[in-house]
Amino acid sequence: MSRMTPFSSPLLLGFDTMEKTLERIAKGSEGYPPYNIERIRASADGSKAERLRITLAVAGFCDEDLEVTTEENQLVIRGRQSDNDGREYLHRGIAARQFQRMFVLADGMQVVSAELKNGLLSVDLIRPEPERMVRKINISVRD
């Protein structure tokens, strides 16, 4: 018995990568670190590009502990804290833990900047307004 998927219609061509992306998202991920995603209002320069900001709560991490990369169409944010400072804890409620948080980016999305301030890592993204193109396809006639 074959499995029916949302993209199994013969009219949807080339959407197999989107289907794989949706399956990856559906698997879910851990809730650490917490994050916000916000839309940034249009800037004064009149740019029509859509701007988004992802803010992660990364208290205890310094810039050397964090890594922001793009891999194919994914934004990957990793955090690694070293735990070899020789301290002796009587109670340890704040764990030095690693994380990896992935966000799937739509085609055309670009990471503009990343900033760490007051324990919050903000990553700004833009999606430039796509050019509207109409391309005429010539039809060849064979006798």
Side-chain angles (χ1 to χ4, degrees):
M1 181 173 178
S2 66
R3 187 180 79 149
M4 291 296 294
T5 65
F7 298 102
S8 60
S9 169
L11 301 175
L12 298 173
L13 302 175
F15 284 91
D16 52 330
T17 57
M18 185 176 293
E19 185 173 8
K20 289 176 187 173
T21 300
L22 289 173
E23 287 175 3
R24 196 172 340 136
I25 292 170
K27 289 180 183 176
S29 65
E30 185 181 337
Y32 178 79
Y35 65 94
N36 292 335
I37 301 176
E38 60 185 302
R39 187 180 318 273
I40 307 297
R41 297 208 182 269
S43 59
D45 65 3
S47 173
K48 293 183 178 181
E50 179 181 23
R51 295 184 63 89
L52 300 174
R53 177 172 292 150
I54 301 171
T55 305
L56 287 89
V58 292
F61 288 85
C62 63
D63 58 336
E64 292 88 21
D65 298 333
L66 298 166
E67 178 181 57
V68 179
T69 59
T70 54
E71 300 172 10
E72 296 180 9
N73 65 334
Q74 290 186 353
L75 170 65
V76 181
I77 303 171
R78 293 181 181 94
R80 293 182 183 89
Q81 286 181 316
S82 58
D83 195 20
N84 55 6
D85 56 6
R87 295 182 186 180
E88 182 180 340
Y89 293 96
L90 299 177
H91 170 75
R92 180 101 191 243
I94 303 171
R97 60 195 282 195
Q98 299 181 14
F99 71 87
Q100 177 172 304
R101 177 68 75 174
M102 296 192 308
F103 300 90
V104 178
L105 303 177
D107 289 340
M109 292 292 292
Q110 301 169 0
V111 177
V112 178
S113 65
E115 178 185 20
L116 180 62
K117 183 178 178 183
N118 297 329
L120 297 173
L121 175 65
S122 298
V123 180
D124 288 352
L125 306 139
I126 62 167
R127 179 182 8 212
E129 187 69 27
E131 294 181 24
R132 304 290 181 211
M133 285 193 321
V134 175
R135 192 178 95 190
K136 182 173 168 95
I137 309 299
N138 291 326
I139 301 171
S140 62
V141 178
R142 295 184 187 185
D143 289 330

